[in-house]
């Protein structure tokens, strides 16, 4: 039976532009062993003794040097299966608003950054889970859907999970 792990976090950074947003994507360095030159949101490993939130805050600082104006725990958990470890990884998603069009100081893990509209960012992201997380941030944080809508959305997600079995 596969193990269940939660060793990683993801953080979606955005800057507000009226009622819409621009999203910050980072391009992995061409020298990275895993997924070189791929565009992504912040994705990082949780260090020993750290909570997921602490890891997200640390990674924003390490990978961009940007200071969030506000931060959210997004009601979404990305996942993937690691065949080498026979493990399913669960990745909590956070969102952080940063100053629009701020210039991040990239770590050595990344070679470029770009600010993109929601639709452009969705097109550039490779992983479906990151696109889904981005959609939730766009609709419920940037779009400010009502609490009732969020609760109904969460119930729909649960219905979809149960219908897979």
């Amino acid at each position: 039976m596969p193990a269940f792990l939660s060793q990683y976090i993801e953080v979606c950074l955005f800057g507000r532009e009226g009622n819409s947003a621009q999203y910050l994507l980072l391009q992995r360095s061409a020298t990275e062993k895993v997924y070189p030159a791929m565009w992504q949101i912040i994705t990082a490993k949780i260090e020993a003794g750290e909570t997921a939130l602490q890891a997200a805050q640390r990674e924003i600082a390490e990978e961009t040097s940007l200071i969030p104006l506000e931060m959210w725990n997004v009601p979404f958990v990305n996942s993937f299966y690691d065949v080498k470890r026979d493990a399913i990884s669960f990745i909590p998603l956070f969102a952080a608003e940063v100053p629009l069009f701020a210039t991040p100081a990239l770590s050595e893990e990344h070679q470029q950054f770009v600010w993109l509209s929601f639709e452009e960012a969705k097109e550039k992201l490779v992983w479906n889970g990151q696109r889904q997380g981005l959609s939730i941030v766009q609709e419920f944080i940037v779009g400010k859907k009502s609490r009732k809508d969020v609760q109904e959305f969460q119930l729909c997600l649960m219905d979809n999970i149960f219908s897979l079995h």
Side-chain angles (χ1 to χ4, degrees):
M1 172 180 270
F4 296 94
L5 307 172
S6 185
Q7 298 178 306
Y8 301 95
I9 54 89
E10 291 179 329
V11 185
C12 178
L13 298 180
F14 68 92
R16 288 194 195 268
E17 187 173 54
N19 289 334
S20 64
Q22 293 285 312
Y23 293 90
L24 181 65
L25 297 188
L26 307 175
Q27 185 181 40
R28 292 175 62 83
S29 174
T31 59
E32 287 289 313
K33 290 181 183 179
V34 179
Y35 308 118
M38 183 180 79
W39 288 95
Q40 63 181 36
I41 60 176
I42 290 176
T43 304
K45 195 166 191 176
I46 299 169
E47 293 182 354
E50 214 173 31
T51 67
L53 176 58
Q54 289 167 336
Q57 292 168 325
R58 176 182 51 78
E59 286 296 326
I60 292 169
E62 286 180 7
E63 293 190 10
T64 69
S65 294
L66 297 176
I67 298 171
L69 304 170
E70 196 166 351
M71 197 163 177
W72 294 263
N73 173 25
V74 180
F76 177 76
V77 176
N78 198 353
S79 63
F80 69 92
Y81 174 71
D82 183 339
V83 71
K84 290 180 184 176
R85 295 165 131 186
D86 189 30
I88 299 168
S89 286
F90 294 100
I91 308 165
L93 175 64
F94 297 90
E97 182 178 354
V98 295
L100 183 61
F101 301 125
T103 301
L106 298 179
S107 72
E108 61 195 31
E109 296 173 39
H110 298 97
Q111 61 187 16
Q112 285 187 73
F113 73 91
V114 65
W115 286 97
L116 298 171
S117 70
F118 168 68
E119 290 300 329
E120 293 167 326
K122 262 183 84 172
E123 283 293 315
K124 206 161 202 55
L125 290 171
V126 173
W127 304 116
N128 188 48
Q130 290 190 349
R131 290 191 300 271
Q132 287 176 314
L134 182 77
S135 294
I136 293 169
V137 171
Q138 173 69 21
E139 189 169 357
F140 293 99
I141 296 173
V142 174
K144 298 181 180 177
K145 281 257 189 162
S146 73
R147 180 178 300 268
K148 180 180 179 287
D149 291 336
V150 173
Q151 289 169 341
E152 287 176 5
F153 182 74
Q154 288 173 324
L155 290 174
C156 290
L157 281 179
M158 291 304 291
D159 289 343
N160 289 338
I161 291 168
F162 290 125
S163 69
L164 295 175
H165 297 288

